[in-house]
Amino acid sequence: MVTAVFPGSFDPITRGHLDMIQRASQLVDQLIVAVMVNTSKQPLFTMTEKVAMISEEVADLPNVEVQAATGLTVDFMASVHATVLVRGLRNEQDFGYERDIAWMNKSLDETIETICLIARPPYAYFSSSLIKEVAKMGADVSKYVPTAVAQKLHQRLGTDQHD
């Protein structure tokens, strides 16, 4: 049985993330979406809120579960007996960053293999950070995040949605 981990801060979960989760779930027996802490970012949502939002969005995928995780991804992977790490690539900059992380993870744990999925065109140009910036200005972001997430995002930011 192949267990994979798709880690991220998911602040918030985007339609691009969900596309990656759906695609990765078809490649492995079990996919664990690991909601991680990114120490270089200030989160908008709590870990508990993010786990709940993602769990709601992936409820129809029977081999996907969502867990909160702290520390090194390789340590979390060992704790859930995962050997495959799934990452997404939107552009050339992502490739360089992900390549370096993959080699670091491999040096920390030889058993880990990283699979990178290329973002499909509708999802390749935006990130959670960019979506938060646009939402702060009151723009409707439901094109980029699930509707329920867009509502929570605007509530948290105290912004009204414009079309």
Side-chain angles (χ1 to χ4, degrees):
M1 184 165 135
V2 176
T3 299
V5 169
F6 181 52
S9 54
F10 305 108
D11 193 50
I13 185 87
T14 69
R15 292 188 187 278
H17 292 135
L18 291 170
D19 182 62
M20 290 284 169
I21 292 167
Q22 190 275 329
R23 290 166 54 204
S25 74
Q26 296 175 11
L27 302 174
V28 297
D29 299 302
Q30 179 184 29
L31 179 66
I32 300 170
V33 178
V35 181
M36 310 286 293
V37 174
N38 185 333
T39 57
S40 66
K41 295 180 181 177
Q42 188 69 2
L44 188 60
F45 295 101
T46 67
M47 184 77 74
T48 302
E49 289 171 324
K50 291 187 277 187
V51 168
M53 282 189 281
I54 299 166
S55 295
E56 184 177 318
E57 296 299 329
V58 300
D60 62 330
L61 299 172
N63 66 330
V64 175
E65 66 178 87
V66 184
Q67 293 186 29
T70 57
L72 290 173
T73 303
V74 293
D75 293 338
F76 174 76
M77 290 179 70
S79 76
V80 296
H81 309 291
T83 56
V84 175
L85 180 62
V86 177
R87 300 295 295 165
L89 299 176
R90 292 172 298 183
N91 52 43
E92 297 83 11
Q93 292 82 14
D94 281 355
F95 174 79
Y97 178 74
E98 295 299 341
R99 179 204 55 223
D100 293 349
I101 290 175
W103 286 120
M104 176 58 76
N105 287 332
K106 190 72 162 173
S107 75
L108 293 169
D109 184 339
E110 275 290 319
T111 67
I112 292 176
E113 287 298 338
T114 300
I115 294 175
C116 292
L117 297 177
I118 309 249
R120 292 190 310 147
Y123 310 117
Y125 67 94
F126 61 84
S127 65
S128 294
S129 298
L130 187 55
I131 290 166
K132 285 188 282 193
E133 287 300 313
V134 171
K136 283 178 188 175
M137 299 299 157
D140 178 11
V141 293
S142 59
K143 179 177 178 180
Y144 313 108
V145 299
T147 304
V149 174
Q151 291 168 348
K152 288 179 176 90
L153 184 57
H154 283 289
Q155 284 176 334
R156 181 60 45 92
L157 293 171
T159 55
D160 292 324
Q161 290 180 223
H162 313 137
D163 290 330

